[in-house]
Amino acid sequence: METTHGTLSGLEPLLSIEELAEYLDVPVTTIRDWRTDGKGPCAIKVGGRVRFATSDVLTWLHRQREAEPGRGPSGG
């Protein structure tokens, strides 16, 4: 099967918890805490390992965006 940049053509890239932590510039423990508290992006468990679809991460990030500068996502 042909690949593009190490992923199968046509499949959405999945991030490991370490890759997501690096992308967000937070410790891996923060990602784990967010998962425990239900605050982070949705994850997918594959073979006992946690993975994050890039589309889920982007959706979650969009929800974290401030409604206005200095205000939280809900505007408060």
Side-chain angles (χ1 to χ4, degrees):
M1 197 173 282
E2 195 171 319
T3 62
T4 304
H5 302 296
T7 61
L8 293 174
S9 182
L11 292 179
E12 179 177 14
L14 299 177
L15 301 174
S16 69
I17 195 167
E18 294 83 7
E19 290 169 325
L20 180 60
E22 182 179 337
Y23 175 72
L24 297 175
D25 194 25
V26 298
V28 169
T29 54
T30 298
I31 304 294
R32 289 190 178 120
D33 290 344
W34 287 345
R35 281 189 38 76
T36 300
D37 297 340
K39 295 179 180 179
C42 294
I44 301 166
K45 285 193 98 174
V46 180
R49 295 178 185 253
V50 175
R51 297 288 184 255
F52 298 88
T54 53
S55 62
D56 289 336
V57 171
L58 293 173
T59 297
W60 176 79
L61 282 172
H62 180 74
R63 290 194 312 256
Q64 306 314 303
R65 184 183 296 267
E66 296 176 329
E68 295 177 28
R71 294 183 179 240
S74 63

